[in-house]
Amino acid sequence: MDTQSLQAFLAVADSGSFSRAAEQLHLTQPAVSKRIASLEALTRARLFDRIGRRVSLTEAGRLLLPRARQILVMVDDSRRALSNLSDEVSGELTLATSHHIGLHRLPPVLGSYVKRYPEVRLDLRFLDSEQAYQGVLDGDIEVALVTLSAHPDPQLRATRVWVDDMTFVAAPEHPLARESRVTLATLCEHDALLPGPLTFTRQLILERLARHGLTPRVGQSTNYLETLKMMASAGLGWSLLPDPMVERDIASERLVRLALEEPAIQRPLGYLVHRDRTLSNAARSLLECLDQEAVADPASP
């Protein structure tokens, strides 16, 4: 099968649109349509139903979808295996990172890596951890730096690099800020500012509360921790945020730590790779840098 036609097929299937697939592949829409038509002729099956502007997979398309991903991953693996024979650290590295890691953890590691391996072309993508997980599973992303799930997919190798100590915070004028002792039950009487329902960080909070038979009263929800910090400092509710992220705000009295007698909630951060994927020399070199960072981090046992 023509790999370019398979790439076009996946782009249309994932985006649900020929025009968006064309933008993604830097092609014209007629060029994408031609590649899909070529693939349909080769498979002797209609792969998409087109009703108005809506595009959906046919039964044949749904059957081809996972196989198309596997074929492209195998082709990429073969290219990487051949390229690795030279021992050169070069080529493209597709790296996904969560916004928090990209802003607060990654810069020194990435700066050192780029200086050491200038021939590597980084395709850096900022994604929610959950999206990055799926990208590694699908073969679209070679390495992901994310909040690690307590129950990772067995197809993935997850390695912890950093640990975030999480801190319960609120604005100085918030009623909880004036309490000398705050219980989890008291927290749940006030609006919470939390990450989205499907995030791993949200699950850490829910699991801690569930042990006590409690459910938070969620006032606002967003996946961007900086936005949660802003809303907490404005007095919209309490939140649970990484300790290094709020140190300056606490020092400047824009936020206060709540006096909970609970053990700290820790959030593991690290990298993901697919167990069955052949890593490029560029990816292996990055993982070596990250492993050195993990040894140096005092929060990592």
Side-chain angles (χ1 to χ4, degrees):
M1 286 188 178
D2 177 8
T3 57
Q4 290 184 335
S5 295
L6 288 176
Q7 288 171 342
F9 168 71
L10 289 179
V12 175
D14 291 339
S15 66
S17 164
F18 277 74
S19 59
R20 286 196 292 270
E23 291 175 7
Q24 178 184 328
L25 297 172
H26 306 290
L27 297 171
T28 63
Q29 188 170 331
V32 171
S33 297
K34 184 176 180 180
R35 291 184 181 184
I36 297 300
S38 173
L39 189 58
E40 289 180 330
L42 181 63
T43 58
R44 299 179 183 177
R46 188 176 183 86
L47 301 175
F48 293 102
D49 284 328
R50 305 162 182 84
I51 303 174
R53 294 186 178 182
R54 185 170 176 270
V55 177
S56 59
L57 287 167
T58 63
E59 183 178 356
R62 290 192 295 273
L63 185 66
L64 178 61
L65 186 61
R67 290 166 172 78
R69 294 195 196 279
Q70 291 170 0
I71 290 169
L72 291 179
V73 167
M74 289 173 63
V75 170
D76 284 343
D77 274 359
S78 299
R79 287 173 180 160
R80 276 190 295 273
L82 293 172
S83 177
N84 288 350
L85 294 175
S86 67
D87 291 330
E88 292 183 2
V89 181
S90 60
E92 184 171 275
L93 171 59
T94 305
L95 172 66
T97 178
S98 69
H99 290 81
H100 176 72
I101 293 176
L103 290 172
H104 298 281
R105 296 287 193 172
L106 187 58
V109 178
L110 206 56
S112 175
Y113 177 81
V114 169
K115 288 178 183 177
R116 188 173 179 182
Y117 305 109
E119 299 302 315
V120 175
R121 298 187 307 277
L122 276 174
D123 177 6
L124 183 59
R125 306 178 187 181
F126 284 85
L127 299 172
D128 291 341
S129 293
E130 298 71 30
Q131 292 176 298
Y133 260 82
Q134 193 59 49
V136 175
L137 281 170
D138 291 342
D140 298 329
I141 294 167
E142 193 168 3
V143 180
L145 291 163
V146 295
T147 301
L148 298 180
S149 169
H151 309 287
D153 190 292
Q155 297 178 79
L156 301 179
R157 175 163 65 91
T159 302
R160 188 178 68 179
V161 179
W162 307 282
V163 175
D164 273 344
D165 284 323
M166 306 294 283
T167 299
F168 288 95
V169 295
E173 62 273 16
H174 193 282
L176 290 172
R178 296 190 289 269
E179 298 286 339
S180 59
R181 177 177 175 272
V182 178
T183 66
L184 292 178
T186 306
L187 272 184
C188 294
E189 295 172 1
H190 298 264
D191 284 349
L193 309 170
L194 299 180
L198 300 179
T199 62
F200 300 134
T201 303
R202 173 84 162 252
Q203 293 306 312
L204 288 173
I205 304 169
L206 295 183
E207 286 172 7
R208 175 62 65 86
L209 293 175
R211 291 178 201 166
H212 300 269
L214 299 170
T215 303
R217 193 174 84 187
V218 182
Q220 300 284 340
S221 180
T222 175
N223 290 357
Y224 297 102
L225 299 185
E226 292 288 344
T227 304
L228 291 175
K229 183 174 73 170
M230 178 277 293
M231 290 192 293
S233 66
L236 299 182
W238 62 267
S239 191
L240 183 67
L241 297 170
D243 193 64
M245 181 180 173
V246 296
E247 284 180 348
R248 290 184 180 180
D249 298 88
I250 290 171
S252 62
E253 299 183 348
R254 295 181 67 244
L255 287 170
V256 296
R257 286 188 178 90
L258 301 181
L260 265 84
E261 297 181 354
E262 280 286 312
I265 292 178
Q266 293 188 320
R267 185 175 73 153
L269 310 174
Y271 63 77
L272 296 173
V273 293
H274 202 294
R275 292 184 183 277
D276 297 330
R277 183 168 188 169
T278 301
L279 293 178
S280 63
N281 288 341
R284 288 206 297 262
S285 298
L286 177 62
L287 299 191
E288 288 175 4
C289 294
L290 290 167
D291 288 339
Q292 292 172 3
E293 179 76 6
V295 171
D297 193 311
S300 298

